[in-house]
Amino acid sequence: MNTKLVESLAQVVKSLTSEERELFNAKVNSLNEAEERPFYETATTEEWIAAFREWAESHSHDSPMLSDEAISRESIYGERG
């Protein structure tokens, strides 16, 4: 660890005005947010399941059901299939 650099930075931060310190803190926070990894990289299996269920439940539940005819292989592929 570069203790001299850390000490120098601490002195610089200490000498900032309140406005400069707010700007500095905002910059540090934005850097921290940029370093956060996306959900798909960090989620556990349980978190994936919960997110999927939440997504599925967010859709309308009153859509009409398709008939057996509408989803039959012959209906989907016709003569090709």
Side-chain angles (χ1 to χ4, degrees):
M1 176 186 281
N2 190 339
T3 56
K4 288 184 180 181
L5 175 62
V6 173
E7 289 174 15
S8 297
L9 289 172
Q11 289 298 320
V12 170
V13 170
K14 186 178 179 182
S15 68
L16 296 175
T17 66
S18 61
E19 184 179 77
E20 291 168 334
R21 191 169 293 180
E22 283 181 39
L23 182 61
F24 174 77
N25 287 333
K27 182 64 176 175
V28 169
N29 289 336
S30 70
L31 291 173
N32 288 337
E33 290 171 5
E35 292 175 4
E36 290 181 11
R37 293 171 46 205
F39 177 81
Y40 68 87
E41 288 184 0
T42 61
T44 64
T45 302
E46 292 78 19
E47 290 171 327
W48 271 106
I49 292 169
F52 177 78
R53 286 186 176 155
E54 181 180 332
W55 171 81
E57 291 170 3
S58 71
H59 294 78
S60 175
H61 295 283
D62 60 355
S63 299
M65 299 297 286
L66 294 173
S67 67
D68 288 342
E69 170 69 23
I71 60 172
S72 69
R73 181 176 186 86
E74 295 80 22
S75 174
I76 295 171
Y77 293 105
E79 293 179 8
R80 296 178 291 149

